[in-house]
RNA sequence: GCCCCGUUCGUCUAGUGGCCCAGGACACCGCCCUCUCAAGGCGGAGAUCAGCGGUUCGAAUCCGCUACGGGGUACCA
């Protein structure tokens, strides 16, 4: 379908070229010489022809063959059935007939749009990982960016796969990330209940309607027969789909059902072709002959996803279905259901899946972390949101470190990539560190509480500025702050005195520092630092090298929080023994 | 088997026929800044835009084929 349209467009362009046989000026060809790379002006000056311009942008679904007038200028407005377009890249005169391009306005964003109502519909089969919750994030972003509503619905129509406790985890994950829902479990809403197992009567009612209109029929075929049929179809290189045996024997099926034979309700897929414009992928088309007569009602009376999701999306007035791309092959079946019921279908946007490092689809089994694990590892929800948003979506201005409200302000589905992406944890780390650095100190101090259980509120507050600049995850605070909140054992494996510092200088430095601290030097650590720097420089040593002595002495390692701040935090009483202990490890 | 979706530096991406012998970010390397570590600044290395054909004066961008990857093909969602 797509191809044939494009082919037709190409054909009409050829005709246009033939129909406008003006003399080609050789001068026009000499744009910039052939020696160098021909440099064409991006937006050339206005040009005119004896014949009208033709609007040609077939690939973008643009209506070709439209006259633009005998002269045009880049930037001119041009109205065509697709909306207001802008001319750009006007071509040299010798080629105008087919190359006067127009840039279509964004197709997916009509100027006036009702606020979107979107939904996230997980099934309670386990904890949410990055792959599944990113779909929730995109839904939430679409809702918030369009002043719409974000609806949460639990799809638990498969009783067998239900995992105890996963609903609670789902709600907790969403809340932790800040993806608050406007309607759904716990918050309620006008279309309650938002749990499918509580809506079974609704689905049965719709199913009856479908039977009455002939869009669905009962089927009593056994699993064995179905398996045989599929094997045969596969062997015959045929698409595998139900052969409609029961469609041709309704009385018999009715008798069997009355006699207690288990039966399922099948959707009768109409003839023809189904296509839709996916907000992320553009036109997608299926030949209905490829489609199976989908089971709508299982023999246990529960609906399948296909029925339940269409019914609920309609009843809940969902305008945009944003879901993972594994649903693409089912979409034509859903569309057929909407048509059979006389309902207007929503827009569809199929987002790509998230892959793990080995390029396989992310899954719990392969060690994908659940969202809550990231919390327990010391990640900030805003950083996770940032990292997930950048997985498949990019900001129009290229900004990458973004708070949720900034993402909302910039979000649109047409900037979502169609290809699957690998989740990069290193990038998450980077983003997490940067977001930690943007936190107000009081907030950081609060967030640090679980990671610094031994510290008082006051201590955490004074530690916060020292830690903020150098932690990647909140959990890093525990090790970084350890030397300040407890004793430090002397570690013989740490080089002491450090490189570039001889024992005598180290001893003098420690003595001088201890003397100064004893004399109240911690009152003004800048002065103390300058005093010691001067002393080291007198001996021809750089402060950076010499101070390593103090790092090892006070923090037990050559790196850590700024050592003078550390000493001040510890106070003279705690600092002096450390300086003296280090001194004792040096020959006197 | 049949159908669908996808394919730009290691990773995430920009890119919608000339601003691209492809730009940014993470990771990596070097330098600078600096009391260490971070953060930051500057620079480096890293992509024959999956391949091949076609259209075009000109293709990462349009078309076709192929390859590879993923998904669907359930009384799972």
């Amino acid at each position: 379908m797509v191809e044939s349209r494009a082919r037709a467009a190409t054909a009409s362009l050829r005709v246009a070229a033939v129909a406008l046989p003006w003399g080609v000026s050789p001068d026009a060809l000499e744009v910039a010489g052939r020696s160098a790379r021909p440099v064409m002006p991006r937006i050339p000056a206005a040009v005119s022809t004896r014949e009208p311009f033709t609007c040609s942008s077939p690939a973008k679904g643009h209506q070709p063959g439209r006259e633009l007038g005998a002269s045009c200028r880049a930037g001119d407005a041009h109205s065509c059935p697709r909306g207001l377009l802008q001319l750009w890249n006007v071509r040299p005169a010798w080629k105008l007939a087919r190359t006067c391009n127009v840039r279509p306005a964004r197709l997916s964003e009509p100027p006036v749009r009702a606020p979107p109502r979107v939904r996230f519909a997980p099934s309670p089969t386990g904890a949410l990982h990055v792959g599944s919750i990113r779909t929730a994030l995109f839904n939430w972003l679409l809702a918030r960016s369009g002043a719409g509503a974000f609806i949460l619905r639990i799809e638990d129509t498969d009783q067998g796969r239900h995992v105890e406790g996963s609903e609670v985890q789902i709600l907790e994950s969403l809340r932790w990330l800040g993806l608050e829902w406007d309607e759904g479990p716990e918050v309620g809403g006008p279309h309650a209940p938002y749990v499918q197992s509580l809506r079974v009567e609704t689905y049965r009612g719709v199913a009856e309607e479908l039977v009455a209109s002939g869009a669905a029929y009962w089927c009593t075929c056994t699993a064995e027969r179905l398996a045989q049929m599929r094997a045969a179809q596969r062997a015959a290189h045929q698409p595998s789909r139900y052969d409609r045996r029961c469609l041709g024997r309704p009385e018999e099926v009715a008798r069997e059902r009355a006699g207690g034979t288990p039966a399922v309700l099948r959707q009768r897929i109409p003839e023809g072709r189904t296509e839709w414009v996916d907000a992320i992928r553009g036109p997608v088309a299926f030949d209905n002959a490829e489609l199976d007569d989908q089971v709508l009602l299982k023999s246990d009376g529960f609906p399948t996803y296909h029925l339940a999701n269409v019914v609920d999306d309609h009843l809940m007035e969902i305008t945009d279905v944003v879901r993972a791309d594994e649903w693409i092959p089912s979409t034509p079946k859903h569309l057929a259901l909407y048509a059979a019921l006389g309902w207007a279908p929503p827009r569809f946007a199929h987002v790509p899946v998230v892959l793990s490092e080995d390029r396989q689809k992310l899954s719990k089994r392969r060690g994908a972390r659940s969202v809550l694990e990231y919390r327990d590892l010391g990640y900030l929800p805003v950083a996770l949101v940032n990292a997930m948003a950048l997985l498949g979506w990019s900001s129009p201005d290229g900004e990458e470190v973004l708070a949720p409200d900034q993402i909302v302000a910039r979000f649109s589905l047409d900037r979502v990539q169609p290809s699957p992406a690998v989740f990069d944890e290193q990038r998450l780390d980077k983003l997490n560190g940067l977001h930690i650095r943007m936190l107000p100190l009081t907030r950081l101090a609060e967030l640090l509480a679980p990671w610094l259980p031994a510290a008082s509120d006051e201590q955490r507050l004074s530690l916060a500025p020292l830690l903020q600049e150098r932690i990647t995850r909140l959990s890093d605070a525990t090790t970084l702050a350890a030397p300040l909140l407890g004793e430090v054992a002397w570690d013989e494996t740490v080089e002491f005195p450090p490189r570039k510092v001889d024992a005598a200088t180290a001893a003098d430095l420690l003595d001088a520092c201890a003397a100064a601290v004893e004399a109240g030097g911690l009152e003004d650590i800048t002065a103390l630092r300058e005093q010691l720097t001067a002393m080291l420089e007198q001996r021809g040593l750089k402060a950076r090298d010499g101070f390593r002595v103090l790092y090892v002495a006070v923090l037990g390692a050559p790196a850590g929080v700024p050592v003078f701040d550390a000493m001040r935090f510890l106070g003279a009483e705690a600092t002096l023994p450390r300086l003296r202990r280090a001194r004792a490890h040096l020959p006197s």
Side-chain angles (χ1 to χ4, degrees):
Chain A
M1 184 68 198
V2 191
E3 309 89 65
S4 64
R5 194 191 292 150
R7 240 179 276 124
T10 311
S12 81
L13 289 179
R14 289 225 173 80
V15 173
V18 174
L20 300 172
W22 51 64
V24 171
S25 152
D27 300 346
L29 270 169
E30 296 303 322
V31 181
R34 272 264 135 217
S35 51
R37 175 166 241 270
V39 179
M40 298 288 286
R42 176 160 161 66
I43 299 184
V47 284
S48 59
T49 68
R50 283 169 294 187
E51 302 292 334
F53 277 78
T54 306
C55 163
S56 68
S57 193
K60 295 290 179 282
H62 189 67
Q63 200 94 19
R66 180 112 172 155
E67 290 191 353
L68 297 182
S71 77
C72 69
R73 180 189 293 272
D76 283 353
H78 153 54
S79 132
C80 90
R82 216 67 212 205
L84 228 204
L85 305 175
Q86 208 176 38
L87 287 173
W88 74 300
N89 207 9
V90 176
R91 301 318 165 96
W94 56 273
K95 214 190 154 175
L96 280 172
R98 52 205 205 278
T99 56
C100 180
N101 276 9
V102 290
R103 168 173 287 172
R106 286 287 177 199
L107 297 179
S108 51
E109 221 85 43
V112 187
R113 251 191 77 165
R117 284 178 59 83
V118 302
R119 99 280 128 117
F120 177 56
S123 60
T125 54
L128 252 26
H129 58 246
V130 169
S132 32
I133 209 150
R134 194 202 47 167
T135 305
L137 173 62
F138 283 176
N139 270 288
W140 181 84
L141 287 170
L142 182 62
R144 294 291 172 265
S145 66
F150 177 55
I151 291 127
L152 178 62
R153 186 171 74 216
I154 303 295
E155 310 227 319
D156 57 347
T157 52
D158 187 355
Q159 301 302 77
R161 294 210 316 161
H162 192 277
V163 173
E164 208 54 48
S166 49
E167 276 179 59
V168 176
Q169 277 197 315
I170 288 169
L171 304 194
E172 196 182 352
S173 301
L174 289 168
R175 286 214 172 100
W176 177 66
L177 281 175
L179 308 185
E180 298 288 341
W181 52 99
D182 305 301
E183 294 173 31
E186 295 187 0
V187 308
H191 304 288
Y194 291 89
V195 175
Q196 290 189 327
S197 57
L198 269 24
R199 302 170 60 83
V200 175
E201 285 314 312
T202 308
Y203 310 128
R204 284 193 192 136
V206 175
E208 277 163 29
E209 242 179 83
L210 255 9
V211 175
S213 70
Y217 59 94
W218 292 99
C219 168
T220 52
C221 288
T222 61
E224 298 74 51
R225 194 188 99 78
L226 259 18
Q228 267 173 21
M229 179 197 75
R230 290 187 187 117
Q233 286 167 337
R234 178 183 272 254
H237 298 205
Q238 296 288 317
S240 93
R241 44 196 272 258
Y242 179 59
D243 60 8
R244 294 190 163 169
R245 185 179 77 112
C246 290
L247 181 61
R249 47 187 273 272
E251 302 81 11
E252 221 174 311
V253 170
R255 264 198 305 281
E256 287 171 8
R257 287 185 62 220
T261 308
V264 299
L265 186 70
R266 284 186 184 276
Q267 177 185 191
R268 182 180 182 173
I269 300 283
E271 308 267 287
R273 209 174 156 73
T274 305
E275 52 178 297
W276 74 95
V277 178
D278 193 277
I280 292 170
R281 285 148 220 278
V284 181
F286 282 81
D287 187 338
N288 289 8
E290 305 290 344
L291 273 28
D292 199 3
D293 277 358
Q294 192 62 51
V295 169
L296 262 18
L297 239 33
K298 307 179 225 179
S299 54
D300 65 0
F302 272 83
T304 58
Y305 170 87
H306 305 282
L307 210 217
N309 117 86
V310 166
V311 171
D312 284 346
D313 284 348
H314 174 256
L315 261 22
M316 295 177 184
E317 302 172 78
I318 301 300
T319 60
D320 295 79
V321 170
V322 179
R323 68 208 331 184
D325 70 6
E326 67 217 34
W327 291 108
I328 292 176
S330 314
T331 304
K333 298 173 187 172
H334 301 165
L335 251 8
L337 237 25
Y338 281 102
L341 291 161
W343 296 341
R347 274 179 290 267
F348 289 97
H350 288 96
V351 305
V353 295
V354 178
L355 308 175
S356 56
E357 229 113 325
D358 57 3
R359 294 225 137 250
Q360 301 288 108
K361 188 177 159 189
L362 215 56
S363 80
K364 291 152 214 168
R365 230 165 304 95
R366 239 186 313 268
R369 290 199 173 110
S370 78
V371 170
L372 267 11
E373 278 177 86
Y374 284 99
R375 175 192 63 186
D376 300 341
L377 252 18
Y379 289 97
L380 258 30
V382 289
L384 228 207
V385 164
N386 194 164
M388 288 194 299
L390 256 18
L391 246 200
W393 173 82
S394 62
S395 130
D397 52 19
E399 299 246 37
E400 303 201 330
V401 185
L402 298 164
D405 59 325
Q406 294 175 302
I407 300 173
V408 166
R410 292 164 173 74
F411 187 79
S412 72
L413 282 177
D414 50 41
R415 291 196 64 85
V416 174
Q417 185 99 8
S419 51
V422 175
F423 185 55
D424 184 358
E425 299 218 353
Q426 286 184 318
R427 199 141 179 247
L428 171 63
D429 279 344
K430 178 70 178 188
L431 253 11
N432 202 240
L434 295 178
H435 276 105
I436 285 175
R437 257 139 249 162
M438 297 191 295
L439 252 24
L441 287 173
T442 49
R443 178 70 184 134
L444 211 215
E446 281 169 31
L447 291 170
L448 250 18
W451 306 101
L452 303 174
S456 67
D457 289 354
E458 195 188 344
Q459 281 179 315
R460 278 202 311 271
L461 204 52
S462 48
L463 244 21
L466 308 188
L467 300 172
Q468 183 170 44
E469 281 299 311
R470 59 208 97 233
I471 58 177
T472 295
R473 309 189 286 200
L474 295 174
S475 55
D476 296 336
T478 307
T479 45
L480 242 197
L484 300 185
L485 295 171
E487 285 309 309
V488 181
W490 185 263
D491 184 352
E492 289 296 341
T493 65
V494 175
E495 187 182 14
F496 190 76
R499 309 185 302 122
K500 297 191 186 176
V501 184
D502 59 77
T505 306
D508 290 351
L509 178 66
L510 288 168
D511 287 340
C513 187
V517 167
E518 223 166 359
L522 293 179
E523 300 280 310
D524 183 352
I525 55 171
T526 308
L528 175 60
R529 192 188 74 223
E530 279 164 4
Q531 179 203 330
L532 296 177
T533 302
M535 182 200 136
L536 288 165
E537 277 170 359
Q538 259 179 14
R539 300 183 175 224
L541 205 59
K542 283 183 184 154
R544 73 180 62 192
D545 296 321
F547 285 160
R548 235 180 289 272
V549 172
L550 300 180
Y551 275 91
V552 176
V554 177
L555 301 173
V561 297
V563 76
F564 293 98
D565 290 291
M567 290 192 281
R568 184 172 56 185
F569 178 87
L570 286 167
E573 321 82 82
T575 303
L576 285 169
R578 294 191 187 189
L579 294 174
R580 289 186 182 126
R581 176 174 61 176
R583 176 68 181 79
H585 279 82
L586 256 18
S588 45

